[in-house]
Amino acid sequence: MMRRWIAALLGLGLMLSVSACGTLQRPDGPVRITDGALLPAQDPRIRSSDTARLSAFSDEIGERFGHGGSMTMLALSGGGANGAYGAGLLVGWTEHGDRPKFDIVTGVSTGALAAPFAFLGSEWDPQLKAAYTDGGASNLLSWRSFAAFLYPSLFSNSALRNLVDENVTPELLQAIAREHAAGRRLLVATTDLDSQDTIIWDMGLLATQGDENAITLFKQVLVASASIPGVFPPMLIAGLQPDNTVVMEMHVDGGVNTPFLAIPEPLLLWTRERQPGAAQSALYVVVNGQTERNDAPTPGRLTSILMRSYDSMSKASLRTHLTATTAFARRNGMALSLSAIPGNVEASSADFDQETMNALFELGQTLARDGRAWVRLDTATMEHPATPTEIAPDAVPEALRPKTPQTSPTEPLPAPQS
């Protein structure tokens, strides 16, 4: 029912976009501000086009972990309502007893909303669970949020902003600041539509500054990273230019450019010299979605064609990023593990129904608690490819059982040769 309703809204949104009902008041050129801009004392932005700053950031990480040490990193992908899977996985991982204390945690879109809790560790599992299962997210795409006549999107972001306000507490920011001071890093990605650049935000730096501007910007970044274009309006965020002018940049979902933030694009081809005796670093990627293709007839309706095309495009991009990240991990001796929603589960990023999100949370929790959530990509070969997690059909929660038969076998994940 939810998916049909979303499909109808997409069709309505297409018609409204043609008639240009909702707009964001903005001149054709960049909006320049002379005073009153929300700017933190230190700019937390790292642009993927800024290779010098990226290199310095990479050197900082290498300095801390490259000399006989190791680094453990967690990357949380986008996926809308499917973020409940990743949240459940983290809680189940705690219950399994071997969840690491991550040196770096990154988040994109819904992964950005979960990243602060994942960064702070198992003690914050109750808050993480509540954020995805207490029903607060069910208002994100409700009729009360419908605002296509006011914004260049189907819905306003008021419910999303309220969700962020409720979860970004002074206690959370103080805890993030303490961990940042200890050398750990919390990073969130947005997409700057004006420059078409992926922006990496150092959220720990913002939490450390702690003034009103920094706290406001911390919340703006989380909302922007989860602002799916066309569904929620973009966020205008002040940015300082090299000539010291302040420009209002248009930021949207980080997933527009990258499904997850692991290795920044300019660094993907790097190969770092490993120090003798250095322990193996580990990268864990949580995909709040599915990686496999689904073979099923596509109805001839406009909304069905659009949704099926978007799903296919998103999965192709995800597999490409996984392939590139796997190649990087293999070259640099890094253990790469992936967890994704099993292919025989019905999962929709737009289904914020509380029953469905609770079922996804419990699925992730069960797989992680039982030690069945992860597959290794760096050790896979063409002869022995990594195979996504499967669960028995009768073990799929009722709310997640496919409504149409699955006719294709499970497809192995990409495993490039070194």
Side-chain angles (χ1 to χ4, degrees), residues 261-280:
L261 177 61
I263 312 302
E265 185 178 342
L267 305 182
L268 273 171
L269 298 180
W270 283 24
T271 301
R272 284 194 168 276
E273 182 179 349
R274 295 187 68 199
Q275 297 293 328
Q280 186 178 39

Side-chain angles (χ1 to χ4, degrees), residues 230-245:
V231 178
F232 297 116
M235 292 289 292
L236 295 178
I237 300 178
L240 189 65
Q241 301 300 293
D243 61 358
N244 289 324
T245 57

Side-chain angles (χ1 to χ4, degrees), residues 47-112:
R47 301 179 185 276
S48 67
S49 56
D50 188 348
T51 53
R53 192 166 180 185
L54 271 176
S55 177
F57 177 76
S58 178
D59 288 343
E60 175 199 347
I61 300 301
E63 228 176 272
R64 295 197 340 259
F65 303 110
H67 301 290
S70 63
M71 179 181 69
T72 304
M73 180 177 180
L74 173 69
L76 301 169
S77 85
N82 291 337
Y85 171 81
L89 181 145
L90 287 166
V91 173
W93 201 354
T94 297
E95 295 168 348
H96 190 257
D98 59 351
R99 176 176 161 183
K101 183 175 183 178
F102 304 105
D103 301 300
I104 300 176
V105 174
T106 72
V108 172
S109 195
T110 187

Side-chain angles (χ1 to χ4, degrees), residues 90-91 93-95 99-100 117-127:
L90 287 166
V91 173
W93 201 354
T94 297
E95 295 168 348
R99 176 176 161 183
F117 301 116
F119 178 72
L120 292 178
S122 303
E123 297 81 4
W124 289 77
D125 282 355
Q127 292 89 332

Side-chain angles (χ1 to χ4, degrees), residues 9-304:
L9 284 177
L10 284 173
L12 176 60
L14 181 64
M15 291 186 289
L16 290 173
S17 67
V18 172
S19 61
C21 289
T23 60
L24 191 64
Q25 295 302 317
R26 193 186 196 210
D28 291 338
V31 181
R32 300 184 184 275
I33 303 176
T34 55
D35 57 282
L38 271 177
L39 286 173
Q42 288 181 271
D43 193 347
R45 270 163 274 227
I46 304 173
R47 301 179 185 276
S48 67
S49 56
D50 188 348
T51 53
R53 192 166 180 185
L54 271 176
S55 177
F57 177 76
S58 178
D59 288 343
E60 175 199 347
I61 300 301
E63 228 176 272
R64 295 197 340 259
F65 303 110
H67 301 290
S70 63
M71 179 181 69
T72 304
M73 180 177 180
L74 173 69
L76 301 169
S77 85
N82 291 337
Y85 171 81
L89 181 145
L90 287 166
V91 173
W93 201 354
T94 297
E95 295 168 348
H96 190 257
D98 59 351
R99 176 176 161 183
K101 183 175 183 178
F102 304 105
D103 301 300
I104 300 176
V105 174
T106 72
V108 172
S109 195
T110 187
L113 303 180
F117 301 116
F119 178 72
L120 292 178
S122 303
E123 297 81 4
W124 289 77
D125 282 355
Q127 292 89 332
L128 174 62
K129 179 178 181 179
Y132 281 89
T133 63
D134 68 357
S138 61
N139 295 320
L140 293 177
L141 302 184
S142 69
W143 282 110
R144 286 174 292 179
S145 298
F146 185 70
F149 295 99
L150 301 175
Y151 300 104
S153 58
L154 288 174
F155 301 93
S156 78
N157 62 8
S158 57
L160 178 58
R161 285 188 284 109
N162 289 339
L163 190 64
V164 169
D165 284 339
E166 291 170 5
N167 287 283
V168 179
T169 63
E171 293 77 17
L172 180 131
L173 290 168
Q174 291 164 11
I176 290 173
R178 286 194 298 270
E179 296 302 323
H180 180 83
R184 300 175 63 223
R185 294 293 177 261
L186 171 62
L187 308 174
V188 163
T190 65
T191 301
D192 180 348
L193 283 185
D194 295 327
S195 65
Q196 297 186 329
D197 199 1
T198 297
I199 308 300
I200 301 171
W201 299 83
D202 188 338
M203 306 300 279
L205 180 60
L206 280 175
T208 298
Q209 294 179 48
D211 59 20
E212 183 178 345
N213 281 3
I215 293 170
T216 300
L217 183 54
F218 190 104
K219 295 179 180 180
Q220 286 181 338
V221 171
L222 292 184
V223 173
S225 186
S227 293
I228 306 168
V231 178
F232 297 116
M235 292 289 292
L236 295 178
I237 300 178
L240 189 65
Q241 301 300 293
D243 61 358
N244 289 324
T245 57
V246 177
V247 175
M248 295 301 287
E249 303 166 345
M250 182 179 284
H251 289 259
V252 296
D253 190 342
V256 169
N257 278 2
T258 182
F260 58 88
L261 177 61
I263 312 302
E265 185 178 342
L267 305 182
L268 273 171
L269 298 180
W270 283 24
T271 301
R272 284 194 168 276
E273 182 179 349
R274 295 187 68 199
Q275 297 293 328
Q280 186 178 39
S281 293
L283 168 59
Y284 297 89
V285 177
V286 177
V287 170
N288 293 301
Q290 295 164 318
T291 61
E292 311 95 276
R293 300 176 181 87
N294 303 100
D295 186 3
T298 302
R301 299 183 300 272
L302 172 63
T303 52
S304 299

